[in-house]
Amino acid sequence: MRTVYDAHVHLADCTGPRYDFPVVGRNVIFNVLGEYQEHRGELEESDAVSVICPLNARDEHFVADEIRAGRVHALKVHSRIQKLTAEDWPKVTQVARRFPNVPLIVDAFYYGSDLAHQPSLPGIIAIAQDSPERPVIVAHCGGYRLLEYFFHLRDLPNIWYDLSFSLQYLSDSSLRSDLIKLIRYTSPDRLMFGSDFPFASAARQCDVLIGLAREAGVRDDGLDRMLATNARDLFGGVIA
């Protein structure tokens, strides 16, 4: 069995589904800072941690302390949860500058009727160009707009993609060929397996990724990087 590191996972409560796939490490994402404060004691030793990007001074000080202590490894931007409009993204860029070189995960799954707070491709480009040494991870690889993201982000060397959720959600749609194109023409060094558990099955996600990677002509060494090495190197943590 191949080594797998989950680049995008959330904690589930005891009544929810159980994680259904063996992994050597996880990047656990908290989209609400209070949830991290409440549940950080439940994390495994091998877990890396990503928390929502702080947009006020009090939260910023707390997150900065957690990063310095080595307890937080990356920041997350989620426009729908944080109620970010197109005009708010320059503020995100300004805040990110105060956390130099810390990886930034940006939700890019378009969904729901709240059109004012959807992801922003121009915002992601601005952040990536503002800090070219910072890894900027496009979570869910752009959702149904993944081909647009693929074309407009190709020339930015610090853009990464996590393939969480979108693979199993879109692989039976007309987007299937776009998923294969993204995998075929993006360096395996910039693609990562992720599940988005508990909203998606890690086992199913891995099966779909391996199948599409094979169709895209990805070699074994590239697949190994996509499944584990890239996320392990990016997020760190103690590997089980």
Side-chain angles (χ1 to χ4, degrees):
M1 179 176 290
R2 292 182 180 276
T3 300
V4 177
Y5 186 116
D6 195 330
H8 193 127
V9 62
H10 305 276
L11 292 184
D13 62 41
C14 60
T15 63
R18 288 183 172 269
Y19 196 85
D20 59 358
F21 199 72
V23 294
V24 296
R26 309 181 301 175
N27 175 44
V28 182
I29 297 175
F30 293 90
N31 287 328
V32 178
L33 195 55
E35 291 181 355
Y36 166 66
Q37 294 167 317
E38 180 181 356
H39 296 289
R40 55 186 167 177
E42 301 170 20
L43 298 169
E44 302 289 338
E45 183 182 6
S46 58
D47 289 335
V49 175
S50 299
V51 301
I52 202 74
C53 183
L55 297 180
N56 64 63
R58 182 185 64 183
D59 290 345
E60 187 175 324
H61 289 313
F62 172 77
V63 170
D65 288 343
E66 295 297 288
I67 291 173
R68 282 192 291 268
R71 291 187 288 266
V72 167
H73 305 82
L75 299 176
K76 171 80 177 288
V77 177
H78 197 303
S79 58
R80 293 193 309 277
I81 290 175
Q82 295 179 286
K83 298 300 180 185
L84 300 174
T85 66
E87 291 74 25
D88 294 323
W89 282 81
K91 179 180 180 181
V92 176
T93 300
Q94 292 172 4
V95 171
R97 286 176 187 162
R98 297 196 278 274
F99 298 93
N101 300 324
V102 174
L104 191 69
I105 304 164
V106 185
D107 175 84
F109 193 83
Y110 290 79
Y111 180 79
S113 58
D114 182 6
L115 298 182
H117 302 113
Q118 295 296 316
S120 171
L121 178 56
I124 294 172
I125 291 172
I127 289 171
Q129 291 176 333
D130 186 73
S131 301
E133 301 303 317
R134 179 201 312 279
V136 177
I137 302 100
V138 179
H140 319 302
C141 63
Y144 72 81
R145 291 175 61 177
L146 71 92
L147 196 61
E148 179 182 1
Y149 274 66
F150 167 76
F151 279 115
H152 290 294
L153 298 176
R154 287 197 75 191
D155 62 335
L156 297 173
N158 57 330
I159 290 290
W160 299 47
Y161 295 92
D162 90 38
L163 301 167
S164 60
F165 192 72
S166 288
L167 287 179
Q168 59 191 284
Y169 195 79
L170 299 174
S171 62
D172 63 347
S173 75
S174 60
L175 273 295
R176 190 175 191 279
S177 59
D178 295 343
L179 288 164
I180 294 173
K181 188 175 187 70
L182 174 73
I183 294 170
R184 176 177 290 144
Y185 293 108
T186 301
S187 169
D189 294 329
R190 295 164 61 190
L191 297 171
M192 294 184 293
F193 164 81
S195 65
D196 204 24
F197 173 85
F199 308 107
S201 159
R204 174 62 177 153
Q205 189 78 5
C206 193
D207 285 345
V208 174
L209 175 55
I210 291 174
L212 293 181
R214 293 301 188 202
E215 288 192 54
V218 177
R219 301 190 315 181
D220 283 350
D221 59 337
L223 184 57
D224 288 339
R225 294 199 296 276
M226 292 164 58
L227 288 173
T229 310
N230 296 338
R232 181 196 64 201
D233 292 346
L234 185 65
F235 298 117
V238 179
I239 305 304

mmCIF file with all atom_site columns, all heavy atoms in Angstrom, residues 108-131:
data_model
loop_
_atom_site.group_PDB
_atom_site.id
_atom_site.type_symbol
_atom_site.label_atom_id
_atom_site.label_alt_id
_atom_site.label_comp_id
_atom_site.label_asym_id
_atom_site.label_entity_id
_atom_site.label_seq_id
_atom_site.pdbx_PDB_ins_code
_atom_site.Cartn_x
_atom_site.Cartn_y
_atom_site.Cartn_z
_atom_site.occupancy
_atom_site.B_iso_or_equiv
_atom_site.pdbx_formal_charge
_atom_site.auth_seq_id
_atom_site.auth_comp_id
_atom_site.auth_asym_id
_atom_site.auth_atom_id
_atom_site.pdbx_PDB_model_num
ATOM 1   N N   . ALA A 1 108 ? -11.353 27.317 -2.470  1.00 0.00 ? 108 ALA A N   1
ATOM 2   C CA  . ALA A 1 108 ? -11.719 27.712 -3.832  1.00 0.00 ? 108 ALA A CA  1
ATOM 3   C C   . ALA A 1 108 ? -12.799 26.790 -4.383  1.00 0.00 ? 108 ALA A C   1
ATOM 4   O O   . ALA A 1 108 ? -12.772 26.412 -5.560  1.00 0.00 ? 108 ALA A O   1
ATOM 5   C CB  . ALA A 1 108 ? -10.491 27.702 -4.736  1.00 0.00 ? 108 ALA A CB  1
ATOM 6   N N   . PHE A 1 109 ? -13.736 26.424 -3.526  1.00 0.00 ? 109 PHE A N   1
ATOM 7   C CA  . PHE A 1 109 ? -14.872 25.617 -3.973  1.00 0.00 ? 109 PHE A CA  1
ATOM 8   C C   . PHE A 1 109 ? -16.088 26.528 -4.044  1.00 0.00 ? 109 PHE A C   1
ATOM 9   O O   . PHE A 1 109 ? -16.552 27.038 -3.027  1.00 0.00 ? 109 PHE A O   1
ATOM 10  C CB  . PHE A 1 109 ? -15.132 24.455 -3.011  1.00 0.00 ? 109 PHE A CB  1
ATOM 11  C CG  . PHE A 1 109 ? -16.074 23.424 -3.572  1.00 0.00 ? 109 PHE A CG  1
ATOM 12  C CD1 . PHE A 1 109 ? -15.605 22.434 -4.410  1.00 0.00 ? 109 PHE A CD1 1
ATOM 13  C CD2 . PHE A 1 109 ? -17.426 23.455 -3.272  1.00 0.00 ? 109 PHE A CD2 1
ATOM 14  C CE1 . PHE A 1 109 ? -16.467 21.483 -4.940  1.00 0.00 ? 109 PHE A CE1 1
ATOM 15  C CE2 . PHE A 1 109 ? -18.298 22.513 -3.791  1.00 0.00 ? 109 PHE A CE2 1
ATOM 16  C CZ  . PHE A 1 109 ? -17.821 21.512 -4.633  1.00 0.00 ? 109 PHE A CZ  1
ATOM 17  N N   . TYR A 1 110 ? -16.576 26.736 -5.245  1.00 0.00 ? 110 TYR A N   1
ATOM 18  C CA  . TYR A 1 110 ? -17.713 27.631 -5.455  1.00 0.00 ? 110 TYR A CA  1
ATOM 19  C C   . TYR A 1 110 ? -19.000 26.869 -5.164  1.00 0.00 ? 110 TYR A C   1
ATOM 20  O O   . TYR A 1 110 ? -19.255 25.816 -5.729  1.00 0.00 ? 110 TYR A O   1
ATOM 21  C CB  . TYR A 1 110 ? -17.711 28.151 -6.895  1.00 0.00 ? 110 TYR A CB  1
ATOM 22  C CG  . TYR A 1 110 ? -16.584 29.104 -7.161  1.00 0.00 ? 110 TYR A CG  1
ATOM 23  C CD1 . TYR A 1 110 ? -15.288 28.638 -7.398  1.00 0.00 ? 110 TYR A CD1 1
ATOM 24  C CD2 . TYR A 1 110 ? -16.789 30.480 -7.173  1.00 0.00 ? 110 TYR A CD2 1
ATOM 25  C CE1 . TYR A 1 110 ? -14.245 29.510 -7.627  1.00 0.00 ? 110 TYR A CE1 1
ATOM 26  C CE2 . TYR A 1 110 ? -15.751 31.362 -7.405  1.00 0.00 ? 110 TYR A CE2 1
ATOM 27  C CZ  . TYR A 1 110 ? -14.483 30.869 -7.629  1.00 0.00 ? 110 TYR A CZ  1
ATOM 28  O OH  . TYR A 1 110 ? -13.448 31.746 -7.848  1.00 0.00 ? 110 TYR A OH  1
ATOM 29  N N   . TYR A 1 111 ? -19.795 27.446 -4.281  1.00 0.00 ? 111 TYR A N   1
ATOM 30  C CA  . TYR A 1 111 ? -20.968 26.702 -3.824  1.00 0.00 ? 111 TYR A CA  1
ATOM 31  C C   . TYR A 1 111 ? -21.934 27.663 -3.143  1.00 0.00 ? 111 TYR A C   1
ATOM 32  O O   . TYR A 1 111 ? -21.516 28.608 -2.467  1.00 0.00 ? 111 TYR A O   1
ATOM 33  C CB  . TYR A 1 111 ? -20.556 25.605 -2.835  1.00 0.00 ? 111 TYR A CB  1
ATOM 34  C CG  . TYR A 1 111 ? -21.696 24.772 -2.302  1.00 0.00 ? 111 TYR A CG  1
ATOM 35  C CD1 . TYR A 1 111 ? -22.237 23.748 -3.060  1.00 0.00 ? 111 TYR A CD1 1
ATOM 36  C CD2 . TYR A 1 111 ? -22.226 25.031 -1.045  1.00 0.00 ? 111 TYR A CD2 1
ATOM 37  C CE1 . TYR A 1 111 ? -23.292 22.982 -2.576  1.00 0.00 ? 111 TYR A CE1 1
ATOM 38  C CE2 . TYR A 1 111 ? -23.273 24.270 -0.546  1.00 0.00 ? 111 TYR A CE2 1
ATOM 39  C CZ  . TYR A 1 111 ? -23.803 23.244 -1.326  1.00 0.00 ? 111 TYR A CZ  1
ATOM 40  O OH  . TYR A 1 111 ? -24.838 22.506 -0.837  1.00 0.00 ? 111 TYR A OH  1
ATOM 41  N N   . GLY A 1 112 ? -23.236 27.422 -3.306  1.00 0.00 ? 112 GLY A N   1
ATOM 42  C CA  . GLY A 1 112 ? -24.245 28.136 -2.540  1.00 0.00 ? 112 GLY A CA  1
ATOM 43  C C   . GLY A 1 112 ? -24.728 29.426 -3.189  1.00 0.00 ? 112 GLY A C   1
ATOM 44  O O   . GLY A 1 112 ? -24.174 29.923 -4.160  1.00 0.00 ? 112 GLY A O   1
ATOM 45  N N   . SER A 1 113 ? -25.785 29.967 -2.599  1.00 0.00 ? 113 SER A N   1
ATOM 46  C CA  . SER A 1 113 ? -26.455 31.152 -3.162  1.00 0.00 ? 113 SER A CA  1
ATOM 47  C C   . SER A 1 113 ? -25.852 32.466 -2.684  1.00 0.00 ? 113 SER A C   1
ATOM 48  O O   . SER A 1 113 ? -26.257 33.532 -3.158  1.00 0.00 ? 113 SER A O   1
ATOM 49  C CB  . SER A 1 113 ? -27.943 31.113 -2.788  1.00 0.00 ? 113 SER A CB  1
ATOM 50  O OG  . SER A 1 113 ? -28.098 31.071 -1.373  1.00 0.00 ? 113 SER A OG  1
ATOM 51  N N   . ASP A 1 114 ? -24.884 32.404 -1.766  1.00 0.00 ? 114 ASP A N   1
ATOM 52  C CA  . ASP A 1 114 ? -24.264 33.625 -1.248  1.00 0.00 ? 114 ASP A CA  1
ATOM 53  C C   . ASP A 1 114 ? -23.170 34.070 -2.222  1.00 0.00 ? 114 ASP A C   1
ATOM 54  O O   . ASP A 1 114 ? -21.976 33.875 -1.988  1.00 0.00 ? 114 ASP A O   1
ATOM 55  C CB  . ASP A 1 114 ? -23.681 33.355 0.138   1.00 0.00 ? 114 ASP A CB  1
ATOM 56  C CG  . ASP A 1 114 ? -23.072 34.594 0.765   1.00 0.00 ? 114 ASP A CG  1
ATOM 57  O OD1 . ASP A 1 114 ? -23.208 35.695 0.177   1.00 0.00 ? 114 ASP A OD1 1
ATOM 58  O OD2 . ASP A 1 114 ? -22.436 34.468 1.829   1.00 0.00 ? 114 ASP A OD2 1
ATOM 59  N N   . LEU A 1 115 ? -23.588 34.699 -3.304  1.00 0.00 ? 115 LEU A N   1
ATOM 60  C CA  . LEU A 1 115 ? -22.645 35.035 -4.368  1.00 0.00 ? 115 LEU A CA  1
ATOM 61  C C   . LEU A 1 115 ? -21.670 36.136 -3.969  1.00 0.00 ? 115 LEU A C   1
ATOM 62  O O   . LEU A 1 115 ? -20.588 36.246 -4.548  1.00 0.00 ? 115 LEU A O   1
ATOM 63  C CB  . LEU A 1 115 ? -23.410 35.455 -5.630  1.00 0.00 ? 115 LEU A CB  1
ATOM 64  C CG  . LEU A 1 115 ? -24.306 34.376 -6.244  1.00 0.00 ? 115 LEU A CG  1
ATOM 65  C CD1 . LEU A 1 115 ? -24.962 34.907 -7.517  1.00 0.00 ? 115 LEU A CD1 1
ATOM 66  C CD2 . LEU A 1 115 ? -23.522 33.112 -6.542  1.00 0.00 ? 115 LEU A CD2 1
ATOM 67  N N   . ALA A 1 116 ? -22.017 36.927 -2.984  1.00 0.00 ? 116 ALA A N   1
ATOM 68  C CA  . ALA A 1 116 ? -21.149 38.046 -2.588  1.00 0.00 ? 116 ALA A CA  1
ATOM 69  C C   . ALA A 1 116 ? -19.873 37.573 -1.903  1.00 0.00 ? 116 ALA A C   1
ATOM 70  O O   . ALA A 1 116 ? -18.889 38.325 -1.846  1.00 0.00 ? 116 ALA A O   1
ATOM 71  C CB  . ALA A 1 116 ? -21.899 39.002 -1.671  1.00 0.00 ? 116 ALA A CB  1
ATOM 72  N N   . HIS A 1 117 ? -19.870 36.343 -1.374  1.00 0.00 ? 117 HIS A N   1
ATOM 73  C CA  . HIS A 1 117 ? -18.733 35.891 -0.580  1.00 0.00 ? 117 HIS A CA  1
ATOM 74  C C   . HIS A 1 117 ? -18.108 34.615 -1.138  1.00 0.00 ? 117 HIS A C   1
ATOM 75  O O   . HIS A 1 117 ? -17.596 33.784 -0.383  1.00 0.00 ? 117 HIS A O   1
ATOM 76  C CB  . HIS A 1 117 ? -19.171 35.678 0.875   1.00 0.00 ? 117 HIS A CB  1
ATOM 77  C CG  . HIS A 1 117 ? -19.736 36.905 1.505   1.00 0.00 ? 117 HIS A CG  1
ATOM 78  N ND1 . HIS A 1 117 ? -21.054 37.015 1.865   1.00 0.00 ? 117 HIS A ND1 1
ATOM 79  C CD2 . HIS A 1 117 ? -19.150 38.094 1.813   1.00 0.00 ? 117 HIS A CD2 1
ATOM 80  C CE1 . HIS A 1 117 ? -21.267 38.222 2.386   1.00 0.00 ? 117 HIS A CE1 1
ATOM 81  N NE2 . HIS A 1 117 ? -20.136 38.893 2.355   1.00 0.00 ? 117 HIS A NE2 1
ATOM 82  N N   . GLN A 1 118 ? -18.128 34.473 -2.449  1.00 0.00 ? 118 GLN A N   1
ATOM 83  C CA  . GLN A 1 118 ? -17.496 33.330 -3.090  1.00 0.00 ? 118 GLN A CA  1
ATOM 84  C C   . GLN A 1 118 ? -15.978 33.541 -3.165  1.00 0.00 ? 118 GLN A C   1
ATOM 85  O O   . GLN A 1 118 ? -15.477 34.639 -2.919  1.00 0.00 ? 118 GLN A O   1
ATOM 86  C CB  . GLN A 1 118 ? -18.078 33.140 -4.492  1.00 0.00 ? 118 GLN A CB  1
ATOM 87  C CG  . GLN A 1 118 ? -19.555 32.766 -4.516  1.00 0.00 ? 118 GLN A CG  1
ATOM 88  C CD  . GLN A 1 118 ? -19.841 31.415 -3.878  1.00 0.00 ? 118 GLN A CD  1
ATOM 89  O OE1 . GLN A 1 118 ? -19.132 30.440 -4.106  1.00 0.00 ? 118 GLN A OE1 1
ATOM 90  N NE2 . GLN A 1 118 ? -20.900 31.341 -3.066  1.00 0.00 ? 118 GLN A NE2 1
ATOM 91  N N   . PRO A 1 119 ? -15.212 32.489 -3.493  1.00 0.00 ? 119 PRO A N   1
ATOM 92  C CA  . PRO A 1 119 ? -13.758 32.647 -3.631  1.00 0.00 ? 119 PRO A CA  1
ATOM 93  C C   . PRO A 1 119 ? -13.401 33.692 -4.679  1.00 0.00 ? 119 PRO A C   1
ATOM 94  O O   . PRO A 1 119 ? -14.210 34.043 -5.538  1.00 0.00 ? 119 PRO A O   1
ATOM 95  C CB  . PRO A 1 119 ? -13.301 31.247 -4.060  1.00 0.00 ? 119 PRO A CB  1
ATOM 96  C CG  . PRO A 1 119 ? -14.357 30.329 -3.546  1.00 0.00 ? 119 PRO A CG  1
ATOM 97  C CD  . PRO A 1 119 ? -15.644 31.091 -3.659  1.00 0.00 ? 119 PRO A CD  1
ATOM 98  N N   . SER A 1 120 ? -12.174 34.180 -4.603  1.00 0.00 ? 120 SER A N   1
ATOM 99  C CA  . SER A 1 120 ? -11.726 35.244 -5.508  1.00 0.00 ? 120 SER A CA  1
ATOM 100 C C   . SER A 1 120 ? -10.445 34.828 -6.207  1.00 0.00 ? 120 SER A C   1
ATOM 101 O O   . SER A 1 120 ? -9.376  34.787 -5.579  1.00 0.00 ? 120 SER A O   1
ATOM 102 C CB  . SER A 1 120 ? -11.503 36.550 -4.741  1.00 0.00 ? 120 SER A CB  1
ATOM 103 O OG  . SER A 1 120 ? -10.878 37.522 -5.563  1.00 0.00 ? 120 SER A OG  1
ATOM 104 N N   . LEU A 1 121 ? -10.508 34.538 -7.493  1.00 0.00 ? 121 LEU A N   1
ATOM 105 C CA  . LEU A 1 121 ? -9.304  34.245 -8.262  1.00 0.00 ? 121 LEU A CA  1
ATOM 106 C C   . LEU A 1 121 ? -8.362  35.447 -8.300  1.00 0.00 ? 121 LEU A C   1
ATOM 107 O O   . LEU A 1 121 ? -7.152  35.287 -8.067  1.00 0.00 ? 121 LEU A O   1
ATOM 108 C CB  . LEU A 1 121 ? -9.684  33.782 -9.666  1.00 0.00 ? 121 LEU A CB  1
ATOM 109 C CG  . LEU A 1 121 ? -8.532  33.473 -10.620 1.00 0.00 ? 121 LEU A CG  1
ATOM 110 C CD1 . LEU A 1 121 ? -7.585  32.430 -10.051 1.00 0.00 ? 121 LEU A CD1 1
ATOM 111 C CD2 . LEU A 1 121 ? -9.084  33.035 -11.978 1.00 0.00 ? 121 LEU A CD2 1
ATOM 112 N N   . PRO A 1 122 ? -8.857  36.670 -8.541  1.00 0.00 ? 122 PRO A N   1
ATOM 113 C CA  . PRO A 1 122 ? -7.946  37.825 -8.470  1.00 0.00 ? 122 PRO A CA  1
ATOM 114 C C   . PRO A 1 122 ? -7.302  37.981 -7.095  1.00 0.00 ? 122 PRO A C   1
ATOM 115 O O   . PRO A 1 122 ? -6.133  38.367 -6.993  1.00 0.00 ? 122 PRO A O   1
ATOM 116 C CB  . PRO A 1 122 ? -8.854  39.013 -8.796  1.00 0.00 ? 122 PRO A CB  1
ATOM 117 C CG  . PRO A 1 122 ? -9.964  38.437 -9.599  1.00 0.00 ? 122 PRO A CG  1
ATOM 118 C CD  . PRO A 1 122 ? -10.196 37.071 -9.028  1.00 0.00 ? 122 PRO A CD  1
ATOM 119 N N   . GLY A 1 123 ? -8.060  37.690 -6.033  1.00 0.00 ? 123 GLY A N   1
ATOM 120 C CA  . GLY A 1 123 ? -7.499  37.778 -4.690  1.00 0.00 ? 123 GLY A CA  1
ATOM 121 C C   . GLY A 1 123 ? -6.376  36.782 -4.473  1.00 0.00 ? 123 GLY A C   1
ATOM 122 O O   . GLY A 1 123 ? -5.355  37.105 -3.854  1.00 0.00 ? 123 GLY A O   1
ATOM 123 N N   . ILE A 1 124 ? -6.550  35.565 -4.969  1.00 0.00 ? 124 ILE A N   1
ATOM 124 C CA  . ILE A 1 124 ? -5.511  34.547 -4.836  1.00 0.00 ? 124 ILE A CA  1
ATOM 125 C C   . ILE A 1 124 ? -4.264  34.949 -5.623  1.00 0.00 ? 124 ILE A C   1
ATOM 126 O O   . ILE A 1 124 ? -3.128  34.810 -5.140  1.00 0.00 ? 124 ILE A O   1
ATOM 127 C CB  . ILE A 1 124 ? -6.047  33.182 -5.309  1.00 0.00 ? 124 ILE A CB  1
ATOM 128 C CG1 . ILE A 1 124 ? -7.156  32.700 -4.373  1.00 0.00 ? 124 ILE A CG1 1
ATOM 129 C CG2 . ILE A 1 124 ? -4.931  32.149 -5.394  1.00 0.00 ? 124 ILE A CG2 1
ATOM 130 C CD1 . ILE A 1 124 ? -7.888  31.469 -4.853  1.00 0.00 ? 124 ILE A CD1 1
ATOM 131 N N   . ILE A 1 125 ? -4.455  35.461 -6.830  1.00 0.00 ? 125 ILE A N   1
ATOM 132 C CA  . ILE A 1 125 ? -3.314  35.910 -7.630  1.00 0.00 ? 125 ILE A CA  1
ATOM 133 C C   . ILE A 1 125 ? -2.563  37.016 -6.907  1.00 0.00 ? 125 ILE A C   1
ATOM 134 O O   . ILE A 1 125 ? -1.321  37.013 -6.849  1.00 0.00 ? 125 ILE A O   1
ATOM 135 C CB  . ILE A 1 125 ? -3.795  36.384 -9.017  1.00 0.00 ? 125 ILE A CB  1
ATOM 136 C CG1 . ILE A 1 125 ? -4.300  35.193 -9.835  1.00 0.00 ? 125 ILE A CG1 1
ATOM 137 C CG2 . ILE A 1 125 ? -2.672  37.110 -9.764  1.00 0.00 ? 125 ILE A CG2 1
ATOM 138 C CD1 . ILE A 1 125 ? -4.964  35.574 -11.140 1.00 0.00 ? 125 ILE A CD1 1
ATOM 139 N N   . ALA A 1 126 ? -3.291  37.973 -6.325  1.00 0.00 ? 126 ALA A N   1
ATOM 140 C CA  . ALA A 1 126 ? -2.647  39.088 -5.624  1.00 0.00 ? 126 ALA A CA  1
ATOM 141 C C   . ALA A 1 126 ? -1.814  38.595 -4.442  1.00 0.00 ? 126 ALA A C   1
ATOM 142 O O   . ALA A 1 126 ? -0.689  39.062 -4.223  1.00 0.00 ? 126 ALA A O   1
ATOM 143 C CB  . ALA A 1 126 ? -3.700  40.088 -5.161  1.00 0.00 ? 126 ALA A CB  1
ATOM 144 N N   . ILE A 1 127 ? -2.351  37.649 -3.682  1.00 0.00 ? 127 ILE A N   1
ATOM 145 C CA  . ILE A 1 127 ? -1.612  37.110 -2.539  1.00 0.00 ? 127 ILE A CA  1
ATOM 146 C C   . ILE A 1 127 ? -0.356  36.383 -3.004  1.00 0.00 ? 127 ILE A C   1
ATOM 147 O O   . ILE A 1 127 ? 0.735   36.555 -2.439  1.00 0.00 ? 127 ILE A O   1
ATOM 148 C CB  . ILE A 1 127 ? -2.514  36.165 -1.725  1.00 0.00 ? 127 ILE A CB  1
ATOM 149 C CG1 . ILE A 1 127 ? -3.595  36.960 -0.989  1.00 0.00 ? 127 ILE A CG1 1
ATOM 150 C CG2 . ILE A 1 127 ? -1.695  35.350 -0.729  1.00 0.00 ? 127 ILE A CG2 1
ATOM 151 C CD1 . ILE A 1 127 ? -4.649  36.092 -0.342  1.00 0.00 ? 127 ILE A CD1 1
ATOM 152 N N   . ALA A 1 128 ? -0.487  35.569 -4.046  1.00 0.00 ? 128 ALA A N   1
ATOM 153 C CA  . ALA A 1 128 ? 0.656   34.803 -4.540  1.00 0.00 ? 128 ALA A CA  1
ATOM 154 C C   . ALA A 1 128 ? 1.745   35.721 -5.087  1.00 0.00 ? 128 ALA A C   1
ATOM 155 O O   . ALA A 1 128 ? 2.941   35.476 -4.880  1.00 0.00 ? 128 ALA A O   1
ATOM 156 C CB  . ALA A 1 128 ? 0.197   33.814 -5.609  1.00 0.00 ? 128 ALA A CB  1
ATOM 157 N N   . GLN A 1 129 ? 1.343   36.766 -5.791  1.00 0.00 ? 129 GLN A N   1
ATOM 158 C CA  . GLN A 1 129 ? 2.327   37.688 -6.346  1.00 0.00 ? 129 GLN A CA  1
ATOM 159 C C   . GLN A 1 129 ? 2.961   38.558 -5.267  1.00 0.00 ? 129 GLN A C   1
ATOM 160 O O   . GLN A 1 129 ? 4.129   38.944 -5.384  1.00 0.00 ? 129 GLN A O   1
ATOM 161 C CB  . GLN A 1 129 ? 1.676   38.565 -7.415  1.00 0.00 ? 129 GLN A CB  1
ATOM 162 C CG  . GLN A 1 129 ? 1.288   37.804 -8.670  1.00 0.00 ? 129 GLN A CG  1
ATOM 163 C CD  . GLN A 1 129 ? 0.564   38.666 -9.692  1.00 0.00 ? 129 GLN A CD  1
ATOM 164 O OE1 . GLN A 1 129 ? -0.098  39.656 -9.326  1.00 0.00 ? 129 GLN A OE1 1
ATOM 165 N NE2 . GLN A 1 129 ? 0.669   38.300 -10.953 1.00 0.00 ? 129 GLN A NE2 1
ATOM 166 N N   . ASP A 1 130 ? 2.208   38.868 -4.210  1.00 0.00 ? 130 ASP A N   1
ATOM 167 C CA  . ASP A 1 130 ? 2.724   39.715 -3.142  1.00 0.00 ? 130 ASP A CA  1
ATOM 168 C C   . ASP A 1 130 ? 3.810   39.011 -2.331  1.00 0.00 ? 130 ASP A C   1
ATOM 169 O O   . ASP A 1 130 ? 4.742   39.659 -1.852  1.00 0.00 ? 130 ASP A O   1
ATOM 170 C CB  . ASP A 1 130 ? 1.575   40.128 -2.215  1.00 0.00 ? 130 ASP A CB  1
ATOM 171 C CG  . ASP A 1 130 ? 2.012   41.133 -1.165  1.00 0.00 ? 130 ASP A CG  1
ATOM 172 O OD1 . ASP A 1 130 ? 2.232   42.307 -1.521  1.00 0.00 ? 130 ASP A OD1 1
ATOM 173 O OD2 . ASP A 1 130 ? 2.142   40.741 0.011   1.00 0.00 ? 130 ASP A OD2 1
ATOM 174 N N   . SER A 1 131 ? 3.696   37.690 -2.179  1.00 0.00 ? 131 SER A N   1
ATOM 175 C CA  . SER A 1 131 ? 4.670   36.909 -1.396  1.00 0.00 ? 131 SER A CA  1
ATOM 176 C C   . SER A 1 131 ? 5.098   35.697 -2.213  1.00 0.00 ? 131 SER A C   1
ATOM 177 O O   . SER A 1 131 ? 4.631   34.576 -1.973  1.00 0.00 ? 131 SER A O   1
ATOM 178 C CB  . SER A 1 131 ? 4.058   36.465 -0.063  1.00 0.00 ? 131 SER A CB  1
ATOM 179 O OG  . SER A 1 131 ? 3.645   37.565 0.703   1.00 0.00 ? 131 SER A OG  1
#
